[in-house]
Amino acid sequence: LNTTPWIDLWKEQQNKKFLKVSRLAMWTFGIGYGLHYFIVDLPLGLTQKSNVWFYYRFGILFLSLFSVGVSYLKEPYNLKLSRIMFLITCSVAAWAQAKSMVWYSGVSSTWSFFISIVCTIFYVSESAINILFLTFLLFLQWPSFVESNQNINLLMGSVVVSYFIVFLNLKNRVEEVETFYITQKQIETERNLSEVQQSLSDQIKAFLPSQVNTKIQNLLRNGYTVTQ
């Protein structure tokens, strides 16, 4: 699409899509982490052992709601700042989720990979950037995996699955690009055809009066009156 006249339209659509999905993700993060503190952390007595759980849950809640607020700023600041806040919030959430396995052994590593995958998919961008983002999130989490003595084989399997899911999503995005290209090509073809038809119609309209006027002038020169 970079060499087509529709690249700006595509980018505009993708930016609007990112704002929508990022708001959904941040609202879900914020509400989910806030409720988790009361539904899980308090009943398990985790908060009695350390205040880290309170700062962890409500820190993510604050970042998430702040990200939502930023997305409603005027253009173009809303898009730029939303992407920055999305990266920051997801990075903190991914790191803290993995770190929680160190704070409490009952936490599964599945949630760490889940957050990394969701954040990567929701960060609507170019394929290379999405892959780099996933790699960065897993890099942040890996020291906590090691510190919490997670099974290395299970971890490697989860890493492979994470990349596989993200690649499937990127494949769907490639199909989305192809559909967009075909649609715009059809629209352009129909518009060109309409312009050609309109131009032909205008030429015909301009041609007919000219021919009629020429015939009248010839008749007048031959001695005919207008009434005849």
Side-chain angles (χ1 to χ4, degrees):
L1 289 177
N2 290 330
T3 58
T4 69
W6 316 306
I7 183 63
D8 291 335
L9 177 61
W10 170 255
K11 289 181 177 180
E12 181 182 355
Q13 290 183 0
Q14 292 303 294
N15 290 336
K16 290 180 178 179
K17 180 180 179 181
F18 168 75
L19 288 175
K20 289 181 180 179
V21 298
S22 65
R23 286 169 187 161
L24 174 62
M26 293 300 100
W27 273 117
T28 303
F29 269 27
I31 296 174
Y33 274 89
L35 291 176
H36 199 284
Y37 179 80
F38 297 101
I39 297 175
V40 178
D41 299 346
L42 286 178
L44 287 177
L46 299 178
T47 57
Q48 298 176 0
K49 301 177 181 179
S50 174
N51 291 329
V52 69
W53 295 97
F54 176 84
Y55 295 119
Y56 164 36
R57 302 300 183 188
F58 287 94
I60 302 297
L61 171 62
F62 171 78
L63 286 174
S64 299
L65 296 183
F66 186 75
S67 298
V68 172
V70 164
S71 69
Y72 287 101
L73 294 175
K74 293 182 179 180
E75 297 182 354
Y77 305 106
N78 60 338
L79 178 63
K80 294 179 180 178
L81 293 177
S82 288
R83 287 196 178 276
I84 293 173
M85 285 306 305
F86 187 87
L87 291 172
I88 292 174
T89 304
C90 285
S91 298
V92 173
W95 173 84
Q97 182 61 44
K99 196 68 176 180
S100 66
M101 295 187 299
V102 178
W103 301 330
Y104 177 59
S105 60
V107 178
S108 173
S109 62
T110 301
W111 292 108
S112 299
F113 288 102
F114 175 77
I115 289 177
S116 295
I117 293 170
V118 170
C119 286
T120 302
I121 291 176
F122 277 22
Y123 189 71
V124 181
S125 185
E126 297 179 5
S127 299
I129 295 178
N130 279 72
I131 296 299
L132 287 174
F133 187 35
L134 175 62
T135 303
F136 173 72
L137 294 178
L138 295 178
F139 176 79
L140 287 178
Q141 294 174 329
W142 198 260
S144 296
F145 292 154
V146 175
E147 187 178 357
S148 58
N149 297 316
Q150 299 296 309
N151 186 292
I152 188 64
N153 293 326
L154 291 178
L155 289 177
M156 294 306 297
S158 298
V159 169
V160 172
V161 171
S162 298
Y163 278 102
F164 178 74
I165 294 175
V166 170
F167 274 116
L168 284 180
N169 176 258
L170 293 178
K171 179 178 179 296
N172 292 334
R173 290 199 61 211
V174 170
E175 294 175 354
E176 183 181 354
V177 172
E178 292 175 349
T179 301
F180 174 82
Y181 177 83
I182 293 173
T183 301
Q184 295 304 313
K185 196 69 175 177
Q186 290 175 342
I187 293 174
E188 183 183 48
T189 301
E190 292 174 359
R191 183 172 59 249
N192 291 338
L193 179 60
S194 177
E195 291 175 353
V196 170
Q197 291 175 338
Q198 184 62 44
S199 177
L200 181 60
S201 176
D202 293 340
Q203 290 177 11
I204 292 174
K205 290 179 181 179
F207 173 77
L208 289 178
S210 175
Q211 293 300 308
V212 171
N213 181 65
T214 300
K215 289 184 177 180
I216 291 175
Q217 294 299 324
N218 290 334
L219 289 173
L220 290 175
R221 282 195 297 268
N222 291 332
Y224 288 89
T225 63
V226 175
T227 56
Q228 290 176 315

